[in-house]
Amino acid sequence: MSDTETTTAPKIPRDRADDYTKDQSAVRRAFVAEQTGTKLEHAGHYSFDPGILRGNVENFTGVAQVPIGIAGPLRINGEHARGDFYVPLATTEGTLVASYNRGMRLLTECGGVKTTVVQHSMQRSPVFICEDALAARKLGAWIDQHFDDIKAAAEKTTRSGKLSNIGQYALGPLRYLRMNYTTGDAAGQNMTGKATLAACEWIVANYPGELQYLLSGNIDTDKKYSQINQLLTRGKRVVAEAVIKREVFQRLMGVDTVELFHHRQISMAGAFMVGSANNGAHAANGLTAIFIATGQDVANVAESHAGITYTQLLPNNDYYWSITLTSLIAGTYGGGTGLATQRECLEMLGCYGSGKADKFAEICAAVVLAGETSLTGAILHGDWVSSHDRLGRNRP
Amino acid sequence: MSDTETTTAPKIPRDRADDYTKDQSAVRRAFVAEQTGTKLEHAGHYSFDPGILRGNVENFTGVAQVPIGIAGPLRINGEHARGDFYVPLATTEGTLVASYNRGMRLLTECGGVKTTVVQHSMQRSPVFICEDALAARKLGAWIDQHFDDIKAAAEKTTRSGKLSNIGQYALGPLRYLRMNYTTGDAAGQNMTGKATLAACEWIVANYPGELQYLLSGNIDTDKKYSQINQLLTRGKRVVAEAVIKREVFQRLMGVDTVELFHHRQISMAGAFMVGSANNGAHAANGLTAIFIATGQDVANVAESHAGITYTQLLPNNDYYWSITLTSLIAGTYGGGTGLATQRECLEMLGCYGSGKADKFAEICAAVVLAGETSLTGAILHGDWVSSHDRLGRNRP
Amino acid sequence: MSDTETTTAPKIPRDRADDYTKDQSAVRRAFVAEQTGTKLEHAGHYSFDPGILRGNVENFTGVAQVPIGIAGPLRINGEHARGDFYVPLATTEGTLVASYNRGMRLLTECGGVKTTVVQHSMQRSPVFICEDALAARKLGAWIDQHFDDIKAAAEKTTRSGKLSNIGQYALGPLRYLRMNYTTGDAAGQNMTGKATLAACEWIVANYPGELQYLLSGNIDTDKKYSQINQLLTRGKRVVAEAVIKREVFQRLMGVDTVELFHHRQISMAGAFMVGSANNGAHAANGLTAIFIATGQDVANVAESHAGITYTQLLPNNDYYWSITLTSLIAGTYGGGTGLATQRECLEMLGCYGSGKADKFAEICAAVVLAGETSLTGAILHGDWVSSHDRLGRNRP
Amino acid sequence: MSDTETTTAPKIPRDRADDYTKDQSAVRRAFVAEQTGTKLEHAGHYSFDPGILRGNVENFTGVAQVPIGIAGPLRINGEHARGDFYVPLATTEGTLVASYNRGMRLLTECGGVKTTVVQHSMQRSPVFICEDALAARKLGAWIDQHFDDIKAAAEKTTRSGKLSNIGQYALGPLRYLRMNYTTGDAAGQNMTGKATLAACEWIVANYPGELQYLLSGNIDTDKKYSQINQLLTRGKRVVAEAVIKREVFQRLMGVDTVELFHHRQISMAGAFMVGSANNGAHAANGLTAIFIATGQDVANVAESHAGITYTQLLPNNDYYWSITLTSLIAGTYGGGTGLATQRECLEMLGCYGSGKADKFAEICAAVVLAGETSLTGAILHGDWVSSHDRLGRNRP
């Protein structure tokens, strides 16, 4: 194809009057059929008025029908989530629901999971470009001194977002800011974007000197795992913890907790050696399934799956197991949470709408812990390792 | 709740005769309604026979209806993907489809995206526990010497999986193996699990000395971002590259490529400083949307979003832009790819079934590059930065 | 050797009355000769009274004579370091001094290096072990509320150490604290250790509830590179920056700055891909040599070599080059700075004693930048790449 | 200072006839005195003929006298190092020698340290710049096919260097190579540089197509910690391991091994959270001291301090402790190893000259393990934590 040749493939049809109708989605399915030869029959099968999709999708053409399995009951003894929960998991991966279900049974038989949201921090990270490092340092000091004004400017743009603090990262003539907010029941990426723009504009308007900035310095790091978020939290930092009784783990998983702890040393060393985002097993599996079911921004799995497992073998050989999700990004308001099936799934958890975000985060963490226990048990048990070579404690 | 108190919440109903029926899913929806007070009306609305879900989900109860928007045309000049594509994106995030659509237009006007799968490598990583480091080193040498036998043992378990090589990682008395496979058109986590078990069993049976191992040493790192996969590939390593014409970028994005390159230095420095899994913009967004639409294991976004952008400003001020996805895990066969809407979406890309995995991977990478151009343009343009403070080149 | 067998090798002789004498060091050299057959003749040759070594070394036996070469003049236009400096570099690596010398000439001909200390932060990081994550969160909030008291308790133990802030990192039932101090002219590891112990004791004594802690949670991370220090600074964060004139770089290095910037994209991408502690060239070389010469704790090279290079090609094709050392740990007071040759080397830089630490840090950063320019030039020039394959700009 | 102003500071005097004489070093000391006002009296005190310094330093002016303390005996039961060793440690940090000495006593009383070099791999990493990713992939395949020829070309340049394998890392249109060598008794950075240049030239001369390359793609990563070296080894990968008897640890350190293992979980979690280069305590301290004493390239502490501790509490409550240094760069031949005091220190370890590099590496690792036990014991004991708050096992 020559440089000057342009495509002759037609543009996707849009209805400028009202693009969110059943008819218009059918027009686009017909367009797909004509262009690609594929009839989107199943994708055309949905149960809601497309009018609800404004603000959620463009060029609406149909739906993905993702099967939901339910798992539970899962007993949670959290600050916000308390009781026995049945959890909707949207997935196409066989055994996922069964495995989480098994872990939920284990945890519930052991008395349940304790859950705690320990930190809230959603951020945007602009960067100011200064003449040199000294000018950047002076700007940084000025920003510290004017935090209250900057906070006021930022918060004018939002009802629920609150600017907690501004981290500063010096690099040559650049000053990266990490503006950390609490965001109520929304995940908050949008509101923090608007608030940060207002904050930057206030800084530019009031700083005694000319300033240049870029609204994203690529350190927030939106939709990307990063060490900074593992450390400093993005969204919610949530802990799920439980004491696994030796007898129950032996009975349900077929593995002794003493053996479990022995092998934990090996998997931790491995995770450290290879620079893993999570020294646990597979947090992403459960999170993704609950995110799809409940209308979360599923791309945030990139960040949300990060975490740190910390365990101890107790003197009575019961097993203390915790996982800390360091960047759980989830909301119960806005985004896709109000769509048809998504809202139903939030409602069955008692998590739809305002005032529910921490409860939902706690449930997510508890689900993750259930999955950790189940997969780890399976790896150590004969399903994954032949019985005649079961690992013993007689090796280092 | 006392330690001995057990939950009284009932178990989820299952039909041992045939659990994959419309009736049984209705029974579970009724159960949810009874237990939680939530009627799953929309979730109960689906267009397929639940019998197809065997091997994809347990406790099937309904579906998540995730809206699909389409974007395109996107011109791809790959090895396997060639032509103008319309891409189904399942998402609930407003502007995502519009933004990718804009990037596709840009790339197509510039002549399209070149795409190349540069490496295939799916793995499982068992760990052998030896008496000491010396014994572990000897085991490692023995494994190198017996690679052909181990390969034969592994490949007996699978038609399409081929063991390419075995990486070895020494840590104290442990020998972690990274068994790297090609897996045909499947993502391949399951087949490599079985093959690795067979390989380990062969090693144990034939090694002159007693051996203990664990099927997972937590270094593969399944469903987790890691540095080892960034380096050594998990799934497919795919490159999308394009030369962005200065005039087109200016016209469509309102930003000069010279300015673009200037700011690229800043975002790269930021990504390096904070330990980001990707020094680009937001690969996870496009990947997640196409993954949900096409029945991929969406949890693999945790690994798949990793990548490295490499750019150059050409002498004529056109802009060479590449992104290398280092751990793209996707398939066109098995998993959820054959389900109702999922198959339709693969078919509209010409990617359903065997022999299509590399084509699909190339499309994924091209979509990601479209999203990179669009979001980066937006950040630099006035939508994100007020026009009077547009960044110039007069600052370092 | 059986488990119960104990060594018969004799203990090293010590003189309990006064171990820091020429005689006693000779006794130990004789002991070494007897035990190992090696006469430490050169090592026994030193020019100072061993009495000055109290607090610097135990079992003093002799000295390593590490050759010092000098490089310069290096023009520095810093806040604290201003003028033309001659720099003592203790090394046994051929070409190191010559290479740094060449870089210094380049920088000086371009008008010199601008240097700025942009952050001070030395830390100790205890960890509190709580009943559960909720208890840990409450402890964290209490610590925030009692910062002034904790600061007062910490600062009672030191004249020059000031507690700036306390970072908190939640992980399961654990609360890691990162107590950040400024430390005057000393590197400060010891003073911050004492102050942190006092702070922790105050917390334990005053917290309404029983507390357990460990003085090190291994997150400071003393004598180890870490991402947290790359981000948040350990010791001093120092920037060296310069505008390299195209003509001068071409003349002295034989390389065009346009080519230089082209290749910078490649080395940055490489450093990002492999998880490097520094995306520049070889900061450790110059730092180690100046550290040995000036009595620094040379083990701190582990942390101090971390850094981030940020560059831009200016519109006139001059080259803006900066390096930010994120964890430079250096002092001009205490430690080995007062020993015989070490003090002389600090003095020739005008950096011995109190009030000189920032000046010395600036010199270190300027030296590092000199080495970056020199080695990078050499890699691009024909010494490292054959001339007929010199890289051009006609490739991406 | 204006852009055009050049420095008037004089150049350092050199004697073009013979720069390595006592007289010429005195000339430079006089120059320093004149320029800076500092008399380098102690630095002028050395015991060797400067003629030996050719190839080790330029502008030789004097020496740093770094005090050496000795520690030991340390019993090592390695492959190459066997017996009781007295170790020279050059340092100015008080307590370092005493602390390592204590750890050596502990290990020796427990029967000694087992040491093993498990991998050799020194590397240079050129990068080839291709037209696009496809061309780069083809080049990669061609290199694989011509490995024997490339190896022959590389090995022509060196007697002791052997090219083991070539790792390939694809990134956009770039192909980074990691050429891995064994290097006999030298650390090997120089010989691998020459060999790699020859290899690249062979590739360019023989590849059917025009090629461009850069001798360093910044991924080796020389003089810098990196994840790739942590994973894949740089220099030598060496393990030191020991079984610490509960009784001995209790008696010498005042800490129970059960408590030790409990806290190990906490320090491992911390190291993982913060992205540390080493999840142990302070490997850099011992390595730096032995490096300075024995004429190693001390800047390699940047890489050499990386490592991974792996421990287990054995059924009898003895404590298995291992540390794996993943990038130990050390040699017994070339560099500074033959200088006056440096050679003496190697000789007292029985490590001077050819055939000794593995023995020396084993000693380094054993020394590191001694330091780990000693500092960890101190942190847990009352020196670091007040006795009334000693950590118990009744907390998670």
Side-chain angles (χ1 to χ4, degrees), chain D residues 35-342:
Chain D
Q35 296 298 322
T36 73
T38 301
K39 284 184 124 174
L40 298 177
E41 290 188 6
H42 290 285
H45 190 85
Y46 53 88
S47 63
F48 52 82
D49 175 351
I52 67 170
L53 294 177
R54 251 178 264 277
N56 286 111
V57 70
E58 298 80 40
N59 291 348
F60 172 64
T61 304
V63 300
Q65 296 181 35
V66 184
I68 293 173
I70 56 173
L74 170 59
R75 174 156 292 184
I76 305 179
N77 311 309
E79 271 195 301
H80 304 280
R82 303 190 68 84
D84 295 318
F85 293 85
Y86 298 93
V87 182
L89 299 168
T91 184
T92 62
E93 293 305 302
T95 80
L96 188 147
V97 174
S99 175
Y100 275 81
N101 199 52
R102 185 170 78 140
M104 291 176 188
R105 180 178 166 199
L106 173 82
L107 292 174
T108 301
E109 284 205 24
C110 291
V113 190
K114 207 185 285 183
T115 54
T116 317
V117 178
V118 293
Q119 194 173 345
H120 296 82
S121 188
M122 177 49 69
Q123 53 277 133
R124 286 290 168 183
S125 294
V127 57
F128 283 81
I129 299 101
C130 302
E131 291 293 340
D132 56 22
L134 184 57
R137 192 187 73 195
K138 287 177 179 170
L139 170 63
W142 188 90
I143 287 171
D144 276 345
Q145 289 157 9
H146 294 77
F147 175 73
D148 290 343
D149 293 326
I150 296 167
K151 177 178 168 70
E155 295 179 359
K156 262 185 200 152
T157 65
T158 163
R159 267 178 312 125
S160 54
K162 303 292 169 195
L163 181 63
S164 311
N165 59 73
I166 303 175
Q168 298 198 16
Y169 303 86
L171 198 170
L174 309 173
R175 203 77 174 181
Y176 295 81
L177 305 183
R178 187 170 149 102
M179 297 198 167
N180 296 297
Y181 299 84
T182 57
T183 60
D185 290 294
Q189 289 107 317
N190 290 340
M191 78 168 71
T192 56
K194 282 181 204 161
T196 298
L197 177 56
C200 289
E201 289 296 302
W202 187 92
I203 293 171
V204 166
N206 290 277
Y207 189 69
E210 200 194 337
L211 283 178
Q212 299 186 330
Y213 75 95
L214 198 52
L215 194 55
S216 169
N218 215 9
I219 75 157
D220 20 27
T221 48
D222 194 35
K223 305 289 167 67
K224 298 183 279 283
Y225 168 78
S226 68
Q227 275 277 353
I228 195 174
N229 288 341
Q230 180 82 290
L231 269 173
L232 298 179
T233 303
R234 180 164 172 82
K236 293 174 175 53
R237 198 173 191 96
V238 198
V239 179
E241 49 191 337
V243 173
I244 310 295
K245 292 175 190 164
R246 185 184 197 180
E247 177 274 325
V248 179
F249 200 77
Q250 175 69 55
R251 176 162 46 85
L252 293 186
M253 303 291 180
V255 177
D256 187 3
T257 51
V258 174
E259 191 182 347
L260 179 67
F261 195 52
H262 185 84
H263 298 127
R264 174 72 193 145
Q265 311 303 313
I266 296 171
S267 69
M268 261 190 301
F272 180 80
M273 178 169 62
V274 302
S276 183
N278 191 316
N279 66 354
H282 66 141
N285 271 331
L287 286 176
T288 303
I290 198 170
F291 275 24
I292 296 176
T294 61
Q296 305 302 314
D297 185 349
V298 187
N300 287 134
V301 166
E303 299 133 293
S304 300
H305 83 286
I308 311 173
T309 293
Y310 168 73
T311 66
Q312 289 285 3
L313 190 65
L314 301 180
N316 67 352
N317 285 327
D318 284 354
Y319 190 90
Y320 171 85
W321 199 325
S322 74
I323 188 158
T324 302
L325 299 176
T326 57
S327 306
L328 181 67
I329 304 175
T332 58
Y333 183 83
T337 58
L339 298 186
T341 61
Q342 290 80 353

Side-chain angles (χ1 to χ4, degrees), chain A residues 82-362:
Chain A
R82 303 190 68 84
D84 297 316
F85 293 86
Y86 297 93
V87 182
L89 299 168
T91 184
T92 62
E93 294 304 302
T95 78
L96 187 148
V97 174
S99 175
Y100 275 81
N101 200 52
R102 185 170 77 141
M104 291 176 186
R105 181 178 164 198
L106 174 81
L107 292 174
T108 302
E109 283 207 26
C110 291
V113 190
K114 209 186 284 184
T115 54
T116 317
V117 178
V118 293
Q119 194 172 347
H120 296 83
S121 188
M122 176 51 69
Q123 52 278 133
R124 286 290 168 184
S125 294
V127 57
F128 283 81
I129 299 100
C130 301
E131 290 294 339
D132 56 23
L134 184 58
R137 192 186 74 194
K138 287 177 178 169
L139 170 63
W142 187 91
I143 287 171
D144 276 345
Q145 288 157 10
H146 293 79
F147 174 75
D148 290 344
D149 293 326
I150 296 168
K151 178 178 167 69
E155 294 180 359
K156 261 185 200 153
T157 65
T158 162
R159 267 178 313 126
S160 52
K162 302 293 170 196
L163 181 64
S164 311
N165 58 74
I166 302 176
Q168 298 197 17
Y169 302 86
L171 198 171
L174 310 173
R175 204 76 173 182
Y176 295 81
L177 305 182
R178 187 169 149 103
M179 297 197 166
N180 297 297
Y181 298 84
T182 58
T183 60
D185 291 294
Q189 290 107 317
N190 290 341
M191 78 168 71
T192 56
K194 281 181 206 161
T196 299
L197 177 55
C200 290
E201 290 296 303
W202 188 92
I203 292 170
V204 165
N206 290 277
Y207 189 70
E210 201 193 337
L211 284 178
Q212 299 185 329
Y213 76 95
L214 197 52
L215 194 53
S216 169
N218 215 10
I219 74 156
D220 18 28
T221 48
D222 195 32
K223 305 289 167 68
K224 298 182 279 281
Y225 168 78
S226 67
Q227 275 276 354
I228 196 175
N229 288 342
Q230 180 82 291
L231 270 172
L232 298 179
T233 302
R234 181 165 172 82
K236 292 174 175 55
R237 198 174 191 97
V238 198
V239 178
E241 50 190 336
V243 173
I244 311 295
K245 293 175 189 164
R246 183 184 198 180
E247 176 276 324
V248 180
F249 201 77
Q250 175 69 53
R251 175 162 46 84
L252 293 185
M253 302 293 179
V255 177
D256 188 1
T257 50
V258 175
E259 191 182 348
L260 179 66
F261 195 53
H262 184 85
H263 298 129
R264 175 72 193 144
Q265 309 304 314
I266 296 170
S267 68
M268 260 190 303
F272 180 80
M273 177 169 64
V274 302
S276 183
N278 190 317
N279 66 354
H282 65 143
N285 272 331
L287 286 176
T288 303
I290 199 170
F291 274 24
I292 296 177
T294 62
Q296 306 302 314
D297 184 349
V298 186
N300 288 133
V301 166
E303 297 134 293
S304 300
H305 83 285
I308 311 172
T309 293
Y310 168 73
T311 66
Q312 289 284 4
L313 190 65
L314 302 180
N316 65 354
N317 286 327
D318 285 354
Y319 190 90
Y320 171 84
W321 199 326
S322 74
I323 188 158
T324 302
L325 299 176
T326 56
S327 306
L328 181 67
I329 304 174
T332 58
Y333 183 83
T337 59
L339 298 185
T341 61
Q342 290 80 354
R343 175 174 176 163
E344 288 174 353
C345 286
L346 279 171
E347 284 175 343
M348 73 178 270
L349 294 168
C351 287
Y352 179 68
S354 62
K356 301 295 188 186
D358 282 355
K359 180 182 179 184
F360 181 65
E362 289 187 351

Side-chain angles (χ1 to χ4, degrees), chain C residues 237-255:
Chain C
R237 199 173 192 97
V238 198
V239 179
E241 49 190 338
V243 173
I244 310 295
K245 292 176 189 163
R246 185 184 196 179
E247 177 275 323
V248 180
F249 201 77
Q250 175 69 56
R251 174 162 47 83
L252 293 186
M253 303 291 180
V255 177

Side-chain angles (χ1 to χ4, degrees), chain B residues 262 276 310 312-313 393 396, chain C residues 262 272 310 312-313 393 396:
Chain B
H262 184 85
S276 185
Y310 168 73
Q312 289 283 4
L313 192 64
R393 285 193 74 212
Chain C
H262 184 84
F272 180 80
Y310 168 74
Q312 289 284 2
L313 191 65
R393 284 192 76 212

Side-chain angles (χ1 to χ4, degrees), chain D residues 336-379:
Chain D
T337 58
L339 298 186
T341 61
Q342 290 80 353
R343 175 174 175 163
E344 288 175 353
C345 286
L346 279 172
E347 283 174 345
M348 72 178 270
L349 294 168
C351 287
Y352 179 67
S354 63
K356 301 296 189 188
D358 282 355
K359 179 182 179 184
F360 182 65
E362 289 187 351
I363 293 170
C364 287
V367 168
V368 166
L369 187 61
E372 299 295 290
T373 62
S374 184
L375 178 56
T376 306
I379 290 171

